[in-house]
Amino acid sequence: MRTTSLILSRKNLALFLPLAGLSLILLVFTLVRFTKGLGAVTNLSDAFPWGLWVGFDVVCGVALAAGGFILTGIVYLFNSERYKPVLRPAILTAFLGYLLVCLGLMYDLGKPWNIWHPLVMWNPHSVMFEVAWCVMLYTTVLALEFGSIVAEAMNWKKLVMAFHAVAVPLVLAGVLLSTLHQSSLGSLFLIVPQKLHPLWYSSLLPLNFWLSAVAVGFATVILESYTTSKLMKRGLELELLIDLGRFLWLALVVYLTVRLQDMALRGALSHVLDGGLESTAFLIEMSLFASALILLTIRRTHASKLGLFFAALFALLGVVMNRLNVSIIGLVSDSGVKYFPSWGEIVITATLTAMGFTIFFILVRFLPIFPPDEGHPNHVPTAAKH
Amino acid sequence: MKTYGLLVDFTACIGCKACMETCKEVNRLPGGLSDELNAENYSVVKQQGDLYYRQMCMHCLTPSCVSVCPVGALEKTSAGPVNYDGSKCMGCRYCMVACPFNVPRYEWDKAAPVVRKCIMCIDRLAEGKEPACAWVCPMGATRFGERDRLLEIAHARIKKYPDRYVDHVYGEHEVGGTSVLMLSSVPFADLGFRSGLPHEALPELTWTVLRKIPNIVFTTGIILGGVWWVINRRMELDRENHKSDSE
């Protein structure tokens, strides 16, 4: 274990103070939100009932957690020990991502104290019912997967063995739940064919969301490895990242092929150059994907740290843009109002996200998230193998 | 059980707003009369030129709001009304997003908000009375009755006075049909009603996906479990071979 002095260093203090300030602002907005209602802090209205908290905190938050099911699937189900060094950061990100989603829901739901209702009041015809169950079950799976890391750090041998015994079924459940959850976020919008702009409305929304989640899963793992290696001055598993970059390239190609083919068949390509808000947003989304693809295709950048970093970043931003387009921007024109998130919405989202990042960087210092680094950047621990 | 509805004939409406006032009384809604639907007005009378028209919940035969509600707070009753139970609601507002007619309203300024919309005076119906707006209307512009019968009346009126009406009973086919039917002298699109709605009920769009879930879970589970078993078995055999080789 590293010494606790690390967290009290000057650098950490510089990080801590703005966070404390942010927390204070968060507290004020939270108080107003829960005493004066959603209207007091948000720009939501009867014409635009879903905004940033649904579009970013929930829909994007879940996407950014996709690394968890991708990596657990690769390591446990496909038995690829090679990817073990990047497995745990992916689990941690996914877990924190889902906690962010749950917390975001607490702000967004009108009566969050009723959040348990879907447990006993069933409506299997509702996509939101599926979403609610996926959130609950997959957060539980992630808590258990994260718990196994904690158990190992604390050297609770019996718990570690118990986790080891159920690892494969647990991971299998996680992959299935993620598949359902990622796709169901797309299915949410199947019921508004007349409201969502044709650039995004498609009967393939659930498939599109799942495919883009696979891509973003690879992208987040690359980004985590790169940023933590910079911030913590640890070695980088470059060979691994290059391979993850190849998977990312493949996932993006499949995703974009499906989407563009679908658009062509639906006759939606004619809207691409319409010029308005929607076509601009669509072109931004596509440029991000194209930039990622180019960086991953060119020989010089696809095998370089920085090239991979930016490729992953563009891919991630592309998916974020896509999900915001589906859940917010694509619905603006039909609503007849010009929604833009209020300061309250932005501050609460930003603060929750910042807290997620902070907790991530604190936890990686105290828990065995990244493999022990002894000057071997490609060092793969073999102790965990039985 | 017979299914009931309302027929609103815009051409007969004189804009007295008695329906709005009675609606407020019966449903105990605070505040004054509004020009737009809101949490305190389940129904509004609007004006365009010299035509008055109403906007309210259409009480779809296969409602999107009922299908999307994760907790079943919204319910289509066999008599016709789409009812709402605020005590079940957790406030996800998916019903507002999904409604093709943009009807449900929310209490944005409350700490414990609920959705607000016309429930076709379901309590009055249970007592054998008609909805308050139909009961109070001095011109019979809003009329309560069996939906089939109301449709007959609507088409009879269009046939008898083709100059007075556009040949369209709004709600007859829209999203699979609604319990509230409307007649107008100008195209409904000109009054802000959504036009070009499909004749199929929208919940089918999500149900075609949702009904596949058990199959997806089962098939993917078997395939992934199988892949794990095959890879794991081969690795075990590899290790055994390795062991016997080195011995």
Side-chain angles (χ1 to χ4, degrees):
Chain A
M1 277 288 90
R2 283 153 203 268
T3 52
T4 44
S5 65
L6 254 173
I7 194 164
L8 298 170
S9 69
R10 183 173 293 181
K11 198 173 143 197
N12 279 310
L13 203 65
L15 199 78
F16 176 75
L17 285 177
L19 265 172
L22 265 180
S23 310
L24 200 70
I25 303 174
L26 178 73
L27 191 71
V28 174
F29 276 119
T30 306
L31 276 175
V32 179
R33 153 70 187 88
F34 286 105
T35 50
K36 305 272 179 209
L38 280 163
V41 280
T42 69
N43 279 346
L44 298 175
S45 62
D46 286 328
F48 213 83
W50 281 358
L52 186 70
W53 290 346
V54 170
F56 185 82
D57 299 26
V58 177
V59 180
C60 291
V62 169
L64 301 185
F69 87 94
I70 299 290
L71 260 289
T72 51
I74 290 178
V75 171
Y76 285 98
L77 298 182
F78 299 156
N79 250 315
S80 196
E81 293 276 331
R82 197 168 124 63
Y83 292 95
K84 236 176 169 163
V86 288
L87 168 69
R88 289 180 164 187
I91 292 177
L92 178 60
T93 318
F95 183 48
L96 292 176
Y98 266 70
L99 288 185
L100 173 73
V101 169
C102 295
L103 212 56
L105 276 174
M106 288 297 160
Y107 282 88
D108 187 74
L109 289 178
K111 296 199 281 184
W113 49 90
N114 284 350
I115 196 168
W116 55 275
H117 278 187
L119 282 172
V120 289
M121 303 168 187
W122 284 31
N123 179 14
H125 281 260
S126 165
V127 182
M128 193 60 88
F129 175 75
E130 185 197 356
V131 169
W133 271 88
C134 286
V135 171
M136 289 187 283
L137 291 177
Y138 191 50
T139 308
T140 312
V141 168
L142 284 169
L144 289 173
E145 288 176 353
F146 175 71
S148 76
I149 302 174
V150 178
E152 193 194 295
M154 308 300 276
N155 215 5
W156 293 330
K157 291 216 171 65
K158 277 192 178 161
L159 260 183
V160 174
M161 294 216 338
F163 280 125
H164 199 82
V166 295
V168 170
L170 194 66
V171 164
L172 183 58
V175 172
L176 288 174
L177 286 167
S178 284
T179 298
L180 292 184
H181 195 195
Q182 300 286 353
S183 58
S184 65
L185 291 176
S187 310
L188 279 180
F189 299 92
L190 286 176
I191 203 152
V192 288
Q194 66 291 103
K195 295 187 184 183
L196 181 57
H197 194 274
L199 279 170
W200 297 285
Y201 185 86
S202 156
S203 52
L204 293 187
L205 269 170
L207 178 67
N208 289 340
F209 267 52
W210 184 78
L211 289 173
S212 61
V214 172
V216 85
F218 291 116
T220 46
V221 175
I222 295 173
L223 286 172
E224 276 156 16
S225 290
Y226 181 84
T227 28
T228 49
S229 80
K230 281 281 163 201
L231 285 171
M232 300 171 63
K233 304 198 174 50
R234 50 171 210 97
L236 185 70
E237 305 84 354
L238 185 60
E239 286 302 315
L240 271 191
L241 295 199
I242 292 173
D243 278 356
L244 287 172
R246 290 197 175 106
F247 287 133
L248 173 58
W249 180 88
L250 185 66
L252 282 176
V253 167
V254 173
Y255 168 62
L256 292 174
T257 310
V258 170
R259 259 195 76 194
L260 293 173
Q261 280 296 316
D262 172 52
M263 285 182 70
L265 291 172
R266 285 187 293 116
L269 286 175
S270 58
H271 294 286
V272 171
L273 296 174
D274 276 356
L277 169 75
E278 291 85 5
S279 77
T280 314
F282 178 81
L283 288 173
I284 293 175
E285 183 191 329
M286 284 298 147
S287 329
L288 287 165
F289 285 130
S291 313
L293 267 185
I294 291 169
L295 284 174
L296 289 170
T297 311
I298 295 174
R299 184 180 295 225
R300 202 189 307 166
T301 46
H302 97 275
S304 84
K305 289 179 194 175
L306 218 55
L308 277 168
F309 170 76
F310 278 107
L313 184 66
F314 288 141
L316 179 132
L317 291 177
V319 174
V320 167
M321 190 69 196
N322 172 256
R323 304 234 166 166
L324 291 178
N325 281 340
V326 172
S327 57
I328 298 177
I329 295 170
L331 294 165
V332 165
S333 138
D334 182 77
S335 75
V337 294
K338 286 193 166 56
Y339 167 81
F340 193 83
S342 69
W343 279 112
E345 291 173 84
I346 294 171
V347 166
I348 287 175
T349 294
T351 318
L352 293 182
T353 315
M355 282 181 165
F357 277 109
T358 316
I359 294 171
F360 179 87
F361 285 112
I362 291 175
L363 285 180
V364 292
R365 294 212 155 120
F366 294 101
L367 290 172
I369 301 293
F370 285 97
D373 174 33
E374 283 136 13
H376 303 291
N378 296 323
H379 174 77
V380 180
T382 46
K385 210 168 161 180
H386 292 276
Chain B
M1 181 149 184
K2 287 168 185 167
T3 175
Y4 296 93
L6 293 167
L7 174 62
V8 187
D9 188 338
F10 297 167
T11 66
C13 179
I14 54 168
C16 69
K17 300 193 177 177
C19 50
M20 288 178 72
E21 279 169 20
T22 320
C23 175
K24 274 197 170 262
E25 235 174 86
V26 167
N27 293 294
R28 290 183 215 95
L29 300 173
L33 300 185
S34 163
D35 296 331
E36 293 292 337
L37 287 182
N38 59 33
E40 296 174 349
N41 287 272
Y42 286 176
S43 155
V44 286
V45 174
K46 294 181 171 183
Q47 186 179 9
Q48 185 169 98
D50 48 11
L51 181 74
Y52 293 98
Y53 61 100
R54 292 187 71 191
Q55 196 193 345
M56 58 197 287
C57 175
M58 300 293 291
H59 298 277
C60 304
L61 299 181
T62 312
S64 293
C65 60
V66 171
S67 114
V68 301
C69 181
V71 293
L74 288 144
E75 182 200 7
K76 175 75 179 176
T77 57
S78 53
V82 174
N83 199 13
Y84 169 74
D85 180 354
S87 67
K88 287 184 177 176
C89 179
M90 59 179 193
C92 72
R93 311 186 296 284
Y94 194 13
C95 51
M96 305 176 69
V97 173
C99 175
F101 302 105
N102 293 342
V103 164
R105 294 299 191 261
Y106 208 55
E107 296 178 323
W108 296 103
D109 53 353
K110 293 223 173 128
V114 287
V115 171
R116 293 302 214 162
K117 73 164 201 71
C118 161
I119 49 171
M120 214 199 270
C121 292
I122 189 164
D123 293 337
R124 287 175 59 93
L125 256 60
E127 294 167 12
K129 298 178 191 161
E130 50 185 353
C133 57
W135 171 75
V136 81
C137 183
M139 306 304 291
T142 297
R143 180 172 174 164
F144 177 75
E146 272 179 66
R147 185 175 183 271
D148 292 344
R149 179 84 190 99
L150 293 177
L151 262 179
E152 279 171 27
I153 297 172
H155 282 293
R157 285 187 196 170
I158 291 174
K159 202 172 170 189
K160 195 167 175 192
Y161 306 104
D163 299 337
R164 192 162 147 192
Y165 297 103
V166 287
D167 188 12
H168 184 180
V169 182
Y170 195 77
E172 181 178 12
H173 298 299
E174 274 77 10
V175 293
T178 60
S179 292
V180 174
L181 304 165
M182 290 170 167
L183 283 175
S184 171
S185 55
V186 300
F188 287 92
D190 296 353
L191 301 173
F193 287 86
R194 200 185 283 280
S195 58
L197 282 170
H199 288 186
E200 296 78 34
L202 298 171
E204 192 55 27
L205 292 170
T206 40
W207 184 238
T208 44
V209 176
L210 284 170
R211 89 170 120 233
K212 294 191 181 94
I213 287 179
N215 185 14
I216 291 174
V217 169
F218 191 72
T219 314
T220 322
I222 296 280
I223 292 175
L224 284 178
V227 166
W228 169 80
W229 187 83
V230 169
I231 296 178
N232 197 50
R233 184 74 190 132
R234 290 179 63 157
M235 287 173 75
E236 270 176 20
L237 290 176
D238 257 12
R239 249 169 278 159
E240 272 167 34
N241 285 340
H242 212 69
K243 224 182 268 171
S244 57
D245 282 356
S246 58
E247 270 165 13

